[in-house]
Amino acid sequence: MIKVTFIEPGGQRHEVQTATGYDLMTVAVNNMIPGILGECGGNCSCGTCLVSLDSTWQGKAGNASELERSIISGYRSCSEDLRLACQIALTEDLDGLEISLLDEFY
Ligand code: FES
């Protein structure tokens, strides 16, 4: 089990314990985390799982693919901190991950 913390724009924190092997969007939706909709079911096509990672976690979470970056650019100017939660596979390396939720989907 690893711990993931989702942080709302207003600062409210939601800690979740999860097994590895899932993607971050699925964990968020299954735990009713606000601001992550996951409308396409994790197919990297809707962008409703957009989140921000601080620099501590960007390298550990891997790089966004070209397709992922193109979806992100539909919402915001693409930057290194922005990721689609459905494209982040949860591994032991991400134990303690902190995710900032964005205000697009509240
Ligand atoms: S759930 Fe649709 S892009 Fe992530």
Side-chain angles (χ1 to χ4, degrees):
M1 299 289 275
I2 63 171
K3 182 179 84 172
V4 177
T5 303
F6 298 89
I7 305 168
E8 293 189 42
Q12 185 173 353
R13 298 168 69 88
H14 304 266
E15 282 188 12
V16 173
Q17 298 284 335
T18 180
T20 57
Y22 295 100
D23 67 79
L24 184 61
M25 180 279 292
T26 297
V27 170
V29 170
N30 287 348
N31 286 278
M32 295 183 284
I33 301 298
I36 297 184
L37 304 180
E39 288 182 343
C40 74
N43 288 314
C44 196
S45 60
C46 71
T48 63
C49 62
L50 185 64
V51 295
S52 174
L53 282 67
D54 75 26
S55 57
T56 305
W57 296 104
Q58 289 169 18
K60 292 182 179 177
N63 296 319
S65 67
E66 190 171 321
L67 173 61
E68 184 179 349
R69 285 195 299 273
S70 74
I71 299 296
I72 292 169
S73 67
Y75 290 96
R76 292 187 177 199
S77 296
C78 215
S79 59
E80 291 299 311
D81 64 305
L82 296 176
R83 293 295 310 273
L84 297 178
C86 68
Q87 302 302 301
I88 297 175
L90 292 174
T91 65
E92 292 289 340
D93 287 347
L94 295 179
D95 187 21
L97 177 65
E98 294 196 349
I99 295 290
S100 295
L101 302 168
L102 305 174
D103 54 10
E104 267 85 348
F105 308 114
Y106 278 84

